[in-house]
Amino acid sequence: MKLFSYRKRPVHMGPYPMETLARLQHASDVSLVGLAPQVQLDMAPDDDPTSILHAMDDYASLLDAVRDGSVNPELAEIPDCPDERAHNVKAFGYFLDANFAGTCEISEEFWLPEPFNHPRIVEWSRKCEMAAKRPTPLAVEMALNRIGMAQPAGQKSVSHHSHAIVFAIEYPRDPEMNEPGSDWIHNLQPHRAALRAAEVAVAAANYLRLLGYEARAHSETSSDIDLRIAAIAAGIAAIDDQHISNPFVGERFGLAVVTTTMEIKSDLPLAEQGLADRIRSKGPAWWLGLASHKNAFNYQPFRKRQFKDSQFPVERIKTRSEPTTFMDPARIPRVPKRADFFQRSYIGDLGKGPRDASIDGYVVMKNPVGGSLVGILQLYSLLQRGDHNDQRDDRLDNPDTNADLIKATLYFLGADLVGISEAPDWVWYSHGVDGQPVTPPHSYAITTLIDQGHETMEGASGDDWLSAAQSMRAYMRGSLLNGIVTLHLRRLGFPSTNHTAADGDVIQPPLVLLAGLGEVSRIGDVVMNPFLGPRLKCGVITTELPMTVDKPIDFGLQTFCDNCNKCARECPSGAISAGKKVMFNGYEIWRSDAEKCTRYRMTNSAGSMCGRCMKTCPWNLEGIFKEAPYRFLATRFPATAPLLTRIDDWIGNGGINPVKKWWWDLDGGTGRRAIVASEVNRRGLTTDLKLKPEDQTLACYPADIAPTPYMETQPIDREAGIKAFNALRSPQEYQERLVSGKTENLVPQYTAPEGPPPVFPVLVKQKQAISGDGEVARLELVSMTGSPLPSFEAGAHIDVMTAPQFVRQYSLCSDPDNISSYVIGVLNEQSGTGGSRRIHQNLRSGRPVMISRPRNHFPLVPDARRTLFLAGGIGVTPLMAMAHQLHKDKQDFVFYYKARTRAGAGFVDELAAMPWSDSIHFHFSDENRLDVADVLGDFQDGDQLYTCGPSAFMEAVFESAQEQGWPEECLHREYFTVPDDLEYENHAFQVKLAHSGKKSKSPQINRQPTC
Ligand code: B12
Ligand code: SF4
Ligand code: SF4
């Protein structure tokens, strides 16, 4: 517990009072005499196959694989001042939990004579590709692309980089030899610190590259520079008997560095600390914790607590056998992942605005801080799922000690709180992101909480340009820590999956509840923790490792939230209910309007996403001594909430503390220049607003109106949502019906449509370039299980979905008799809308992709006298399938294939090898032009003409045919267009203010629905 607040300490100064240390006058005054040469850290011990280091090493190699990458071609609009820049990048490091950050200019002696690289990077990039067998297109594809782009960038020399930013991560206490739960975490300090520092540096390098500057991360496993020399130059450490040492933590830290072309102000190296300096830095101020967050009592994590018990006094919180909110587990319906409103935005159910904001994760990428973290989260997703070893480690047969092992390991790695529960069927989505049914595979869940960060939250409005980054930081950290444990459990023979923001099969809030980590809060989807308040993200591991489960907790929040509605008052979208708890899908909850919140978060034009409810909640506390009475009253006498919230408002909690604002409000995005945002949400508290439930119109979407599991646009029906909200029962009424046995239709159930799914995943068995210029790709698609694909008729097409915004139709060109695979041809249309470009760039052999069932709008007319095929360019594909069919039916046809050049034409060799190749005539404009009129000839009864290709070509063919007397019904053509966006019709409306009776007309009719 700290005595004093850090309110007045800017973030770039960090948690230790480094400013109190004596420094040299000039960087050049430093002497490196006595420093031993840097040695590469070996992460993977071959001698112990059961060590968790192997899992840590997998993540280290993954991070090392992306320590460089592509640079935004445009420099961001950031301040020129080197000092401001240094503050910004250091604060970036502190935001990511670095304990020390320093900056320096690079000099000759930094460069290692022989740079070292992680020995397993290449092996891993290949393994990742193999492991990524699930159609979570965005995360996996983007991660693979990132690795692809990082490889060439990483091979370039960076000796022209001029500046370095150094990050250090301290060691927590060393685990005691017999400490319960510590078996996996002995002798890991250097590896843990190196890995965590590497994560910070890789993120910071991503950040600088998004700002348009070259940047490369250097870790203890892959580096071009001597990290210790950089740490000395940046004033983080000094030489102490062949080693480097920091005045506060000694040698107990790990390092990582970013080198860059961005000019930043340098820190000065540390000087020898005289007595006066020592008193200044480690005297009374240090003991009392006056100057900084870290002090003599709290500077070493876990000094006074066992690792398995967390850093918080969790044992003081009351536990219960059941959660404080009612649930009826037998009736809770399972819903598909597709019901998650991010999916609904992504697939277009909420219209164009939210959908466009989803493209390539724009909504989180638009601020470079958020963008720099998303990439890592996507990268980690490659290791989330996988096979486990056949042989189980039979030492892990005691559920009590297993629970201790898991908790101690996660706390040692850096988790804020961990809880264990069963993973009942109802927490699993009914269908996964690919629309396939999910059979719950594991019985236990380990839920990890990561603080979204009080300090940064203090400087933010909760919905400004850093909001998405706050979420992403916590997601990234959770994914790493849980990922390590998941990999380790699989290595020890226990099936396990890491569920993260990038990919997951479980609904997490109920697991937070069941694991004794929180109580349901008014915010709605947020289960609040007594120590972190609502300010958290969670990550979940599901596993078959038997563990003792935790009990639900009670810290009085139900009464507190009943008497407070600050979050509802402050929510900018009006999504949070000011009313009472209700029964939704068989459990008791304050039902928030997820649709409103989603729309706001996706289309917030003055920030990136939102988390203002967490920011403004009175439980969003710093964790200092003077808050103890408040916390005591809130927990023991929650009915004092109205008074406590008034005090909270009066103190100004939930307002913005400008001292803590370290980031730039930049609006950018992948490949786009990051510019100063034209709008920024800088909100104060709206204490004068008295929000009442009757002033709100809220909607919700219980199981019976949830979407089908499939990736097809299913427009939201808000009116049905409002009706559903108004029909929700009170917990009392629900329980009375239970008692009286009136359970029919008590809980809406989810019913997935019967019959085969309209869209489903297939594997790209082979992708190859089949035109001389490489612009036409041939893709052979097979089912995920090896079974035959749905049958199709000649002329049919499928939708191919690289991302829901990029659904494109492609004709099947293979033989309809052969349904062991489908073949399509894809022209890379440079001037198109991006659909084909994504297939060319992102789809690889061995990767899954979503497709629709075949549909045929271009059928063959049976028993023709004469059939003519006229193909223009890539339009050859449906006609190929037709030719297969006619050949099998022993019917004649003539096939003209026209293209501008031979080099630009696809399938030429394949056509030439067909058993019906005699019927084909190739016409390349630069060799022998096709005379359409000539080949058509005069029409005779029973003639049929099929054409496919560019519109101008098809027009010309039809015109010529009509001139020669071909009737309309004998002319057949196929053309595809990009599907239209959802159309919404908005109507003018009048608003009548309830109290004053004033009327007002809707000011403007937007194309987008608003709420
Ligand atoms: C999609 C999503 C959203 C969407 C839409 C939610 C929705 N209903 O579709 C929106 C944009 C609204 C959103 C907003 C926020 N989210 Co959100 N969100 C998710 C996500 C990714 C998926 C949830 C989902 O599938 N919903 C679809 C269906 C299941 O929704 P539903 O039927 O309405 O059920 C919801 C609740 O009723 C509850 N629930 C479901 N079953 C049961 C059973 C019981 C017994 C109980 C008590 C609750 C419960 O969980 C569902 C959460 O959406 C989860 C991660 C995850 N896998 O759980 C995070 C998650 C729920 N969000 C989280 C957070 C923190 C937020 C925000 C504060 C944003 C932020 N900046 O961090 C806001 C809070 C909004 C609010 N008023 O509560 C955290 C909550 C952590 C916690 N403490 O419990 C999660 C778990 C993410 C994470 N990994 O940490 N989110
Ligand atoms: S702001 Fe008040 S009502 Fe909302 S979650 Fe926090 S304590 Fe509960
Ligand atoms: S409910 Fe959604 S919109 Fe409202 S404050 Fe929370 S995150 Fe923001």
Side-chain angles (χ1 to χ4, degrees), residues 587-621:
Y587 52 89
E588 182 184 4
I589 194 170
W590 276 281
R591 186 61 264 177
S592 60
D593 190 328
E595 183 196 347
K596 278 190 181 183
C597 173
T598 310
R599 275 188 200 285
Y600 182 73
R601 295 186 77 201
M602 298 305 289
T603 56
N604 176 4
S605 57
S608 62
M609 301 203 103
C610 179
R612 186 161 167 78
C613 40
M614 298 182 295
K615 146 93 190 172
T616 51
C617 171
W619 284 86
N620 170 25
L621 296 166

Side-chain angles (χ1 to χ4, degrees), residues 521-523 528 557 560-561 564-567 616-619:
S521 77
R522 179 182 292 281
I523 294 175
M528 197 193 300
L557 189 70
F560 196 100
C561 286
C564 163
N565 72 7
K566 196 168 171 185
C567 51
T616 51
C617 171
W619 284 86

